[in-house]
């Protein structure tokens, strides 16, 4: 990284180290008022697989989950093993307003994150 400074001086190059990143994966069942969520240090196929397994474990016995997904790369990859009690529905590209969970993420960012 370059920084402008007077010749012959050794300027400090502070770096903001007070933030860590986390990726939040979440699903909500509005009918039952329950959810399944994970906070992970990465967002990739492995993380999405963990999330699908978490959702599947929270689906009521004999019930079926419909999961709305945007078209993020880790949502659409063929390597994912989607449980038989989950049906993914992919939203159109570049349309986050169609995904109801975006309202929850916005609330969390404003109030807690």
């Amino acid at each position: 990284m370059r920084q402008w400074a007077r010749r012959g001086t050794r300027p400090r190059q502070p770096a903001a180290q007070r933030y860590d990143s986390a990726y939040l994966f979440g699903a909500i069942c509005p009918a039952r008022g329950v959810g399944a969520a994970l906070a992970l240090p990465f967002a990739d196929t492995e993380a999405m697989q963990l999330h699908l397994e978490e959702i599947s474990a929270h689906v009521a016995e004999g019930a079926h989950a419909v999961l709305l997904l945007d078209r993020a790369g880790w949502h659409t990859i063929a390597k994912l093993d989607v449980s038989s009690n989950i049906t993914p529905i992919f939203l159109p590209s570049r349309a986050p307003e169609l995904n109801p969970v975006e309202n929850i993420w916005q609330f969390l960012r404003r109030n807690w994150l």
Side-chain angles (χ1 to χ4, degrees), residues 59-82:
V59 174
E61 185 73 31
H64 194 83
V66 175
L67 187 60
L68 292 176
L69 297 165
D70 60 18
R71 294 189 180 267
W74 55 87
H75 291 166
T76 59
I77 191 134
K79 293 180 188 176
L80 290 175
D81 181 27
V82 181

Side-chain angles (χ1 to χ4, degrees), residues 8-23:
T9 64
R10 294 189 64 173
R12 291 181 29 165
Q13 183 65 49
Q17 296 176 350
R18 43 189 176 175
Y19 300 106
D20 286 325
S21 294
Y23 294 89

